[in-house]
Amino acid sequence: MNKDLVWKRLNLYQSADMTQKLLNRCYKNMQIDNHEIKSYDNCYPFIYFLQHGEMYYSQAEHAPIPIKPVLLFYGLIHLIKACLLSVDPDYPESTSVLAHGVSSRKKKKQHYQFMNDEIKIQKMGLCTHFSKKMFHVEHLEGEKIIMKDLFYQVPELDDCFTFNNECNIFHILKKNTEYAIPLSILDQYHLTLDSFIRLLKDKNAISIQTINHDKNYIIIKSTNEDTPLLPFRFHLTKNSFCLPNKQAKYMYYPELIIHYLLLYNLSMIARYETEWWCELIKTTPTNDYPFISTFLSITAEKTPYLIFKYLQSKL
């Protein structure tokens, strides 16, 4: 689905009637008291968050790279706030959830590289709040995260990794309810076939009916055609599913969290590390630039799609 179509679909929520019905359904399913009143109260804030988010994304499309991360980050924040209203009718209940909820290094060291930079998730703030409310992901606080580890979780960066003789994903061949996963993933994950299947079952990644394998692929037949869950990821540009190249805790982070963390750090650098940021863009001295510029193009298209898919799951 191209980005213009995604925004057209998101614009369907620019109707107070439709949005009120969506929120009322969500709140009723959650057994919220006064769900109908709350859905009326929140339908216009929901619409305004989407509208404001789209304006940031629209400006980012025509903006030069130096300010693009800031526009995309604040655009994503507004889209996330709209989604939050579908699961948290009292948002924002306190000022503690309004902060970004992430911290970065205050001073960049000599020979700084973004790929090796580190951020830390804080106990309070938007990051932990939307992770918990939207995706039931908890205990993120205190996590120290390296940027390259996050890049590994963005499947559309596969060309950048391939160019650097690395691999960040295994492509999955899907036909109807069958998934063909390269057998070599077992070596990368350091798992036996039984352990790998148990991993997918434990994570409820896919409803498994039968399992076979040949010399190249593990062939899983699912009981339905539903979109597989984590750790599967959807490759937007290739319209296919994939799995991360190696086991890591971040492979179970929903992709909106990955994009939020990357955009947070990039926006902070764009605002407060002007000298390094401009040097990177003008002279491109390291591998950082192709990864960052490619990611910015990807996230401008992928995050609205992820927001659309999230809201669609509420219908």
Side-chain angles (χ1 to χ4, degrees):
M1 187 184 295
N2 65 48
K3 61 183 176 182
D4 291 333
L5 183 56
V6 168
W7 284 114
K8 284 180 181 178
R9 295 283 177 86
L10 285 174
N11 282 337
L12 295 174
Y13 296 99
Q14 301 295 332
S15 157
D17 181 58
M18 180 176 178
T19 297
Q20 186 273 325
K21 288 177 180 175
L22 169 71
L23 294 177
N24 189 45
R25 187 184 303 115
C26 291
Y27 299 162
K28 189 175 182 180
N29 290 339
M30 295 166 61
Q31 299 181 326
I32 300 292
D33 292 337
N34 302 317
H35 53 82
E36 193 162 357
I37 294 173
K38 287 184 180 292
S39 66
Y40 278 110
D41 290 343
N42 285 334
C43 69
Y44 281 107
F46 180 98
I47 289 170
Y48 297 151
F49 281 140
L50 285 184
Q51 288 178 345
H52 218 62
E54 184 178 7
M55 283 189 279
Y56 273 107
Y57 275 83
S58 178
Q59 292 300 309
E61 186 174 0
H62 306 289
I65 282 185
I67 61 173
K68 200 180 284 279
V70 179
L71 295 170
L72 289 172
F73 179 60
Y74 282 101
L76 178 57
I77 283 177
H78 283 85
L79 297 185
I80 286 172
K81 286 179 178 179
C83 292
L84 269 172
L85 285 177
S86 71
V87 291
D88 183 3
D90 298 317
Y91 177 81
E93 200 167 6
S94 69
T95 56
S96 65
V97 299
L98 296 176
H100 296 145
V102 191
S103 59
S104 58
R105 288 176 178 167
K106 301 302 180 189
K107 185 69 177 175
K108 306 306 179 189
K109 297 178 180 178
Q110 192 176 13
H111 308 305
Y112 166 83
Q113 283 188 277
F114 179 78
M115 299 282 272
N116 299 325
D117 199 8
E118 187 179 89
I119 56 173
K120 185 177 181 180
I121 299 178
Q122 297 171 341
K123 184 176 182 179
M124 308 296 286
L126 180 60
C127 183
T128 49
H129 189 69
F130 88 80
S131 299
K132 180 180 179 180
K133 291 290 185 177
M134 290 171 59
F135 302 113
H136 311 292
V137 175
E138 302 191 47
H139 310 301
L140 292 177
E141 62 272 10
E143 284 281 355
K144 292 183 178 180
I145 301 173
I146 306 297
M147 296 298 96
K148 188 174 183 179
D149 292 337
L150 293 180
F151 276 150
Y152 270 121
Q153 300 302 317
V154 181
E156 294 85 1
L157 284 173
D158 54 342
D159 286 341
C160 287
F161 280 104
T162 300
F163 190 76
N164 284 275
N165 297 313
E166 290 187 77
C167 174
N168 69 319
I169 57 171
F170 283 98
H171 287 283
I172 309 301
L173 304 179
K174 182 179 184 295
K175 184 178 181 181
N176 299 323
T177 59
E178 281 195 354
Y179 299 83
I181 303 170
L183 196 61
S184 55
I185 198 170
L186 300 179
D187 293 331
Q188 287 295 113
Y189 281 28
H190 304 292
L191 293 174
T192 63
L193 178 59
D194 287 343
S195 298
F196 177 71
I197 297 303
R198 194 158 51 247
L199 171 72
L200 296 185
K201 286 181 176 179
D202 288 346
K203 298 298 180 181
N204 296 311
I206 192 169
S207 301
I208 298 172
Q209 184 176 24
T210 61
I211 305 161
N212 294 295
H213 69 89
D214 56 26
K215 63 179 182 180
N216 294 316
Y217 291 97
I218 303 165
I219 300 163
I220 298 175
K221 186 173 178 61
S222 176
T223 56
N224 55 55
E225 289 193 57
D226 290 347
T227 301
L229 306 176
L230 290 170
F232 287 81
R233 296 202 187 276
F234 183 67
H235 195 302
L236 189 64
T237 55
K238 294 181 180 175
N239 194 31
S240 63
F241 291 103
C242 54
L243 279 166
N245 180 50
K246 60 175 111 175
Q247 277 208 85
K249 55 190 170 186
Y250 310 123
M251 66 193 281
Y252 302 110
Y253 283 16
E255 210 168 337
L256 274 174
I257 299 176
I258 302 293
H259 285 257
Y260 181 91
L261 294 173
L262 283 165
L263 281 175
Y264 163 80
N265 204 19
L266 285 170
S267 68
M268 292 294 284
I269 290 168
R271 281 178 286 172
Y272 302 117
E273 299 292 339
T274 309
E275 182 179 356
W276 180 86
W277 184 235
C278 289
E279 280 294 312
L280 173 78
I281 293 164
K282 288 179 179 295
T283 64
T284 61
T286 68
N287 285 340
D288 284 345
Y289 180 78
F291 276 90
I292 290 171
S293 60
T294 304
F295 170 74
L296 291 175
S297 298
I298 290 165
T299 195
E301 189 169 353
K302 187 75 176 280
T303 44
Y305 169 81
L306 294 171
I307 294 292
F308 163 72
K309 293 297 288 186
Y310 182 83
L311 291 175
Q312 190 181 43
S313 72
K314 299 294 179 182
L315 294 176

